Amino acid sequence: MIPFVDLKTQYLSIKDEIDTAVLKVLASTQFVLGNEVKAFEEEFASYCNSDYGIAVNTGTSALHLALLAAGIGAGDEVITVPFTFVATTAAICYTGATPVFVDIDPVSYTIDVTQIEKAITERTKAILPVHLYGQPADMEPILDIARRHGLVVIEDAAQAHGAEYKGQRVGSIGDIGCFSFYPGKNLGAYGEGGMAVTNNPEYAHTMGMLRDWGQERRYHHVLKGYNYRMDGIQGAILRVKLRYIEEWTEARRTHAAHYDQLLAESGVGIPAVMPYSRHVYHVYAVRSPQRDALQQSLQEQEIQTGIHYPIPVHLQPAYTDLGYKPGDFPHSEAASSEVLSLPMYAELSTESQTQVAKAVISLT
């Protein structure tokens, strides 16, 4: 069997370092926040070329706190896309604000910047672009629109650790960048985790309080906050793994180039890399009108795949109250019915890639 993601092989490659880091936390008894989390905040913020990092328990929490720190609340609107993981929309709703969707660009799968301005109303307070699959959104026009309309830009970089837009690391381009360290991410914890990065000290201070019950210091609650703190063990694990992220990223990029070559004449659509982008391939998503048959065929040949994402958020039952209907965002809906993510991880072998490609070609 060829797995979609192989977390065990990665762990075994750094087992001694991980085990030592975990045991260090157990000995210190700093199980919530603590020195390891603080060090990871500094190191990951530096990696993103940002001044501040606020470690939290999930990427969703990072988005939630970023929106709150930016003053987003009831009655406000936040522009984003429906072709994303549901957490992007959920975080907006948690604040009491309303998500306003615009469609994706059909080539990059990120927000169609030509549609943003016409979605702006007097209630719009922020733009929340999603760097999907490891590819940055087109940030320059987004920032231009935001500046002209006085809007905050919050980057959903949950799938884009180390991705770059015109040489600048994602997360540091807008006002706040939000990352997930879910285990399957390019930089994944051994459990849940997330972080917001920013160059704005006021945003950093507010998010730091909000994640820890709104405390400015122990038992002094300045804000109505949340229990969104990162565990010390996850901070220690992520510090170890951060040292390898560039090596793993380049391996992913090499694998993607190999897939591109193997599948060039396959009949399936391969991922486009935009000219402004350093794509980090959180997933390698091909595209086929016969997606479901292709997935079934690969499964029968013991090749695991994923679909990111089979139903766009505006058509999810949980979000029918937003008032959208089928046909409102045709590019998002078409992508949802056609994308298929092939096995992609740093340790993926050339032989496995060849086997995957042969299986794809045999059907197409």
Side-chain angles (χ1 to χ4, degrees):
M1 185 192 73
I2 299 174
F4 179 62
V5 176
D6 188 352
L7 299 180
K8 186 173 184 179
T9 296
Q10 185 187 79
Y11 164 64
L12 292 174
S13 73
I14 54 174
K15 182 180 185 301
D16 290 345
E17 292 173 80
I18 292 289
D19 292 356
T20 298
V22 170
L23 289 172
K24 181 180 177 182
V25 174
L26 297 182
S28 74
T29 69
Q30 293 184 347
F31 300 126
V32 179
L33 297 177
N35 293 335
E36 290 296 318
V37 171
K38 185 175 186 299
F40 177 59
E41 288 176 326
E42 294 170 356
E43 290 161 6
F44 188 74
S46 176
Y47 176 75
C48 296
N49 297 322
S50 295
D51 293 336
Y52 306 98
I54 302 87
V56 292
N57 58 340
T58 68
T60 310
S61 297
L63 287 167
H64 185 198
L65 296 190
L67 290 158
L68 291 175
I72 309 301
D76 296 333
E77 294 176 352
V78 178
I79 294 172
T80 191
V81 291
F83 190 55
T84 181
F85 184 59
V86 71
T88 310
T89 302
I92 297 169
C93 294
Y94 291 166
T95 70
T98 300
V100 174
F101 295 132
V102 301
D103 210 352
I104 58 168
D105 173 82
V107 178
S108 68
Y109 300 143
T110 60
I111 192 167
D112 183 347
V113 296
T114 67
Q115 296 191 35
I116 294 174
E117 206 142 17
K118 62 186 178 184
I120 294 174
T121 73
E122 62 182 14
R123 296 171 60 190
T124 306
K125 295 294 169 59
I127 306 171
L128 206 171
V130 179
H131 304 310
L132 197 74
Y133 295 166
Q135 174 144 259
D138 191 358
M139 293 300 297
E140 201 167 82
I142 293 171
L143 293 173
D144 177 64
I145 293 167
R147 281 192 293 267
R148 286 190 283 106
H149 291 273
L151 307 177
V152 175
V153 176
I154 297 172
E155 302 172 65
D156 184 339
Q159 301 182 4
H161 315 70
E164 296 177 3
Y165 175 82
K166 295 187 176 181
Q168 189 172 357
R169 287 268 165 85
V170 301
S172 66
I173 303 170
D175 295 284
I176 307 173
C178 300
F179 294 84
S180 167
F181 304 120
Y182 186 77
K185 294 295 196 290
N186 292 31
L187 181 64
Y190 291 169
E192 298 274 9
M195 188 177 293
V197 298
T198 185
N199 292 318
N200 184 311
E202 292 184 8
Y203 288 161
H205 182 64
T206 299
M207 289 187 287
M209 286 194 292
L210 286 171
R211 65 148 177 212
D212 189 17
W213 291 114
Q215 298 179 107
E216 193 161 42
R217 63 184 190 276
R218 191 166 178 81
Y219 301 132
H220 289 72
H221 302 272
V222 178
L223 302 172
K224 293 178 180 178
Y226 305 85
N227 183 7
Y228 283 175
R229 300 169 294 197
M230 178 178 279
D231 291 344
I233 286 174
Q234 301 304 339
I237 289 166
L238 288 163
R239 289 190 71 198
V240 172
K241 297 183 77 175
L242 182 60
R243 297 197 287 267
Y244 293 92
I245 190 171
E246 281 301 298
E247 176 186 331
W248 292 338
T249 296
E250 287 308 312
R252 285 175 177 268
R253 287 166 53 80
T254 297
H255 298 335
H258 191 214
Y259 267 141
D260 289 349
Q261 182 181 22
L262 292 170
L263 297 171
E265 306 298 328
S266 67
V268 301
I270 61 176
V273 179
M274 307 308 288
Y276 50 71
S277 173
R278 183 204 190 201
H279 200 318
V280 297
Y281 295 97
H282 171 57
V283 299
Y284 185 93
V286 298
R287 190 160 178 169
S288 171
Q290 291 80 42
R291 188 268 309 282
D292 294 343
L294 177 58
Q295 184 179 43
Q296 179 63 32
S297 176
L298 294 175
Q299 183 176 331
E300 290 169 357
Q301 297 178 66
E302 296 191 313
I303 297 170
Q304 293 183 347
T305 58
I307 298 176
H308 302 84
Y309 297 95
I311 305 173
V313 179
H314 71 288
L315 299 182
Q316 295 281 358
Y319 292 97
T320 55
D321 61 320
L322 295 177
Y324 296 106
K325 63 185 184 303
D328 283 346
F329 306 106
H331 293 307
S332 295
E333 292 170 34
S336 290
S337 68
E338 295 181 356
V339 293
L340 182 68
S341 302
L342 302 182
M344 171 57 77
Y345 44 94
E347 299 79 15
L348 184 65
S349 70
T350 300
E351 294 75 18
S352 292
Q353 282 194 274
T354 300
Q355 186 178 336
V356 172
K358 285 182 177 178
V360 170
I361 292 167
S362 70
L363 186 67
T364 57

